[in-house]
Amino acid sequence: MPKDISNDPRVQALPETVRGKFIKKAEEQQAAILWDSIAEEYAEANEARTYLPTIKAEMDSLRRAVDRPINVALTQPKPATAKKPQKVLPASRLLAANMTAHMMHKLGGNKPESNLLKLLPGDEHRIARRLAKSATVPGTTTDASWGAELVQSDVGAFYRSLCERSAVAQLAELGTSVDFGGSANITFPHRSANDEGSLKPAFVQERATIPVSSAALGSVTMYKFKLGIITLATDELIRVSNILDVMEQLIQDDVAEGLDFHVLDPTSTSIPAVRPAAITVAAPNQASAGDTLDNVLTDIRWLRGNLSNARRPAIIMHSDHMRALEMLQVDGRFPLAAMVNSGSLWGLTLIHSPHLTKGNVVGVDAAAYYHASDLPELDTSSAATVALASAQPPDPQMTATGATEDAVDDIDLTGGSIHISDAAGTTPPTKVVSTFQTNSVAMRMVHPVTWKSMPDSVSYLTGVTWGGA
C-alpha cells in the first residue's frame, strides 16, 4: 500500500488549491515504484522455479553417492632401511689400505677395488673405501679411478693421524702448516731480527703531524726436500690377517720417528740439496740444572725466559720425561701431576713423543714454526731390482757426504748413494734382490717435506734427567 502523506506537515503547509493534486501525484508515483519491485521479485521467483527440478535431481544423485559403500584398499609403504653410520678412519689407515690393496694386486690377487672391500668390509666403510681409493700412489695417479680425486687438504688429516706418535705433528698443528701444492718452494715473509718496536705508534697533539715509521722485513724460502724409504714384503707376509694394521703402524711410526729426529735434534744439521737443519741447530741452549723440583723450576724458568715474546709457547720432550714430571713426588704429593694431565706447564703447551732424543727438552714459539709438506707418495712393485743398503749401520749403508746417517746424497757419485751397478764393489758387497724372483713386493714411500722456525723462537736444554728419567 502507498504511504499516506496527507498528514505530513510539509504537505499541510502547501496551499489548499494544490494540496489535493500533489497528494494524488505522490500516491501514483509510490504505486508505480511498488509495482516495479513486485514484478522484479516475481520474475526472479519464476526463474528459480525453472531450475529447482535440476538442483533437486543433482542433490538426490549426491545423496545416493554418499550412501553407497566404497571398498578402499590401504597399502602401507615399506619402511626405509636405516643405513649404517659411516666409520671415520685416520688418513694414515686410508694410505695403508691403498698401499696394501696394491701390494695384494701386484702379487697376483684381485683388482685393488676388490682388495679394498676385503680390507675395509661392510657398508659402514663405504666412504672410507672411496677415500682410500683416492689416496696417492704415484704409479696410478694418472688413472681416472685411482688417485684423481685426491685433494691437498688430506695433508692436514694425515698429520692429525700422527699426533699421538709425533711431536712434530703436534707442533705443526699449533704452528703454520701448509702444503706445497705442486710448488718446489714456498716463501714466508717475517720481521727482521733486531726490528722490535719499529712500528710503535706515538701520541700526537691536535694539528701536529703523525710520525712515519718503516719496518725491516725479511723473508725465508722453504725448499722442498724428501724423506724416503723402500722395504720388501713377501707374499706370505702380505696375506696375513692383520696386514692392514701392520702397514698403518709402519707408516705412522716411521714417519713420526723420522720427522721428530730431523726437526728437533740439534745433531741433524743442514745438508745442501738433501735436508733442512733441525730448528734447534744453533739455538740457545744450556745443561739442565738437575732432577729435583727446584731444578725443574729453574730449567723451565730459563726456557720460559727465552720465549718471553712468544705468542704460542710450547715445551717439547721425550714421553719418559713427561711421565717423570707427572710422578715427581715431594713430601708425599705430586705437585706437577695436574699440570701435566692438563697438557700445559706454566703456560707452555706440553708436547711429547717417544721418538725424541732423550735428555733434550725444547722450548719453541709454535706461532713462529712453519711446516710445509705433501702427502706421502706410496708405490709398490713386484718387478723391481733393489740394492739392500739402508741409511743406518751396519755397512753397507748409504750416507751423505761426511758419513752422515739418515741422509743420502749422490754428488758427482762421491756421496754415499749405492747403485745396482756398483753394489758389488762396496765393503761389504751390497746384496741385490729381484722382487719378481723372490715373489715379493717392494714398497716405496717418499714424503715431500720441509720446515723452518723464525729467529729467536727456539731454545733447548741438554742432559735432562728429571725424575731420574
Side-chain angles (χ1 to χ4, degrees):
M1 289 290 292
K3 183 179 178 182
D4 184 9
I5 62 171
S6 60
N7 295 323
D8 190 296
R10 291 171 294 180
V11 176
Q12 292 295 328
L14 294 174
E16 190 173 348
T17 55
V18 297
R19 188 186 305 163
K21 186 182 296 186
F22 177 81
I23 293 173
K24 184 178 180 181
K25 288 289 185 181
E27 289 176 348
E28 289 177 354
Q29 187 174 5
Q30 288 184 58
I33 293 173
L34 180 61
W35 173 259
D36 290 342
S37 177
I38 293 172
E40 185 177 353
E41 291 179 1
Y42 177 79
E44 291 177 357
N46 187 56
E47 185 178 2
R49 185 176 61 81
T50 304
Y51 289 111
L52 187 59
T54 303
I55 296 173
K56 183 177 182 301
E58 291 178 352
M59 292 181 64
D60 290 341
S61 176
L62 289 172
R63 186 177 293 108
R64 287 192 300 271
V66 171
D67 294 340
R68 185 186 305 122
I70 300 175
N71 296 324
V72 179
L74 295 177
T75 57
Q76 178 70 23
K78 185 178 180 181
T81 303
K83 293 184 178 180
K84 291 184 178 180
Q86 296 296 297
K87 290 188 176 180
V88 179
L89 301 181
S92 57
R93 192 163 187 84
L94 300 178
L95 285 169
N98 187 331
M99 183 173 66
T100 305
H102 277 80
M103 289 164 51
M104 296 168 68
H105 170 65
K106 293 292 177 62
L107 286 175
N110 298 321
K111 291 183 178 180
E113 294 93 333
S114 300
N115 294 330
L116 272 179
L117 189 58
K118 294 179 181 179
L119 296 168
L120 302 173
D123 186 62
E124 66 272 20
H125 286 123
R126 175 169 42 86
I127 294 179
R129 288 194 297 272
R130 187 181 309 158
L131 293 173
K133 182 178 176 182
S134 68
T136 176
V137 175
T140 58
T141 51
T142 57
D143 189 325
S145 64
W146 280 92
E149 303 90 348
L150 183 68
V151 292
Q152 290 299 326
S153 59
D154 286 343
V155 178
F158 174 71
Y159 270 83
R160 285 191 293 274
S161 70
L162 297 181
C163 280
E164 290 186 0
R165 290 172 167 81
S166 169
V168 171
Q170 298 170 58
L171 181 59
E173 283 279 288
L174 292 173
T176 301
S177 183
V178 298
D179 59 79
F180 284 106
S183 301
N185 58 73
I186 299 176
T187 299
F188 289 101
H190 66 86
R191 167 169 261 165
S192 297
N194 303 318
D195 186 54
E196 292 296 328
S198 61
L199 295 181
K200 184 178 178 181
F203 285 101
V204 181
Q205 184 184 13
E206 184 180 0
R207 299 176 61 184
T209 56
I210 298 175
V212 177
S213 298
S214 63
L217 297 179
S219 64
V220 57
T221 299
M222 300 169 63
Y223 296 96
K224 184 186 292 188
F225 298 91
K226 64 181 180 182
L227 287 168
I229 189 66
I230 293 176
T231 189
L232 303 182
T234 63
D235 175 71
E236 290 77 13
L237 173 62
I238 293 172
R239 301 193 187 282
V240 299
S241 58
N242 66 331
I243 182 60
L244 182 54
D245 296 328
V246 173
M247 289 297 107
E248 182 184 18
Q249 186 173 349
L250 285 174
I251 292 173
Q252 289 181 330
D253 288 347
D254 293 350
V255 173
E257 184 174 0
L259 284 174
D260 286 2
F261 174 80
H262 288 298
V263 175
L264 297 168
D265 193 287
T267 65
S268 184
T269 55
S270 172
I271 302 177
V274 178
R275 74 181 183 203
I279 62 174
T280 50
V281 171
N285 63 90
Q286 72 174 25
S288 171
D291 58 5
T292 67
L293 179 59
D294 288 340
N295 296 148
V296 172
L297 294 176
T298 298
D299 287 343
I300 295 181
R301 189 180 298 113
W302 181 81
L303 288 175
R304 194 66 179 89
N306 285 303
L307 298 173
S308 58
N309 292 326
R311 288 177 290 160
R312 288 194 290 273
I315 185 170
I316 306 174
M317 65 188 70
H318 192 281
S319 297
D320 288 350
H321 295 320
M322 182 272 297
R323 284 186 285 268
L325 290 180
E326 183 181 23
M327 301 178 68
L328 184 64
Q329 189 173 8
V330 179
D331 298 331
R333 297 178 299 106
F334 300 91
L336 303 182
M339 283 193 292
V340 171
N341 288 331
S342 69
S344 177
L345 290 174
W346 294 283
L348 297 166
T349 300
L350 177 57
I351 296 174
H352 67 94
S353 163
H355 302 302
L356 297 171
T357 303
K358 244 183 174 183
N360 291 349
V361 172
V362 180
V364 59
D365 180 6
Y369 175 76
Y370 294 86
H371 190 95
S373 63
D374 280 338
L375 271 177
E377 300 170 355
L378 305 175
D379 203 359
T380 59
S381 175
S382 57
T385 302
V386 182
L388 302 185
S390 72
Q392 294 86 33
D395 288 334
Q397 62 173 313
M398 301 186 191
T399 61
T401 302
T404 301
E405 295 180 14
D406 298 320
V408 181
D409 68 14
D410 198 20
I411 301 174
D412 299 328
L413 300 181
T414 59
S417 183
I418 298 176
H419 302 266
I420 300 297
S421 58
D422 60 9
T426 63
T427 304
T430 300
K431 186 177 180 180
V432 176
V433 172
S434 165
T435 58
F436 177 80
Q437 190 172 16
T438 57
N439 193 29
S440 303
V441 173
M443 299 175 290
R444 183 184 66 201
M445 180 179 72
V446 175
H447 182 34
V449 65
T450 192
W451 53 82
K452 190 74 175 181
S453 60
M454 296 298 102
D456 304 320
S457 62
V458 180
S459 59
Y460 67 96
L461 297 165
T462 61
V464 174
T465 59
W466 293 341

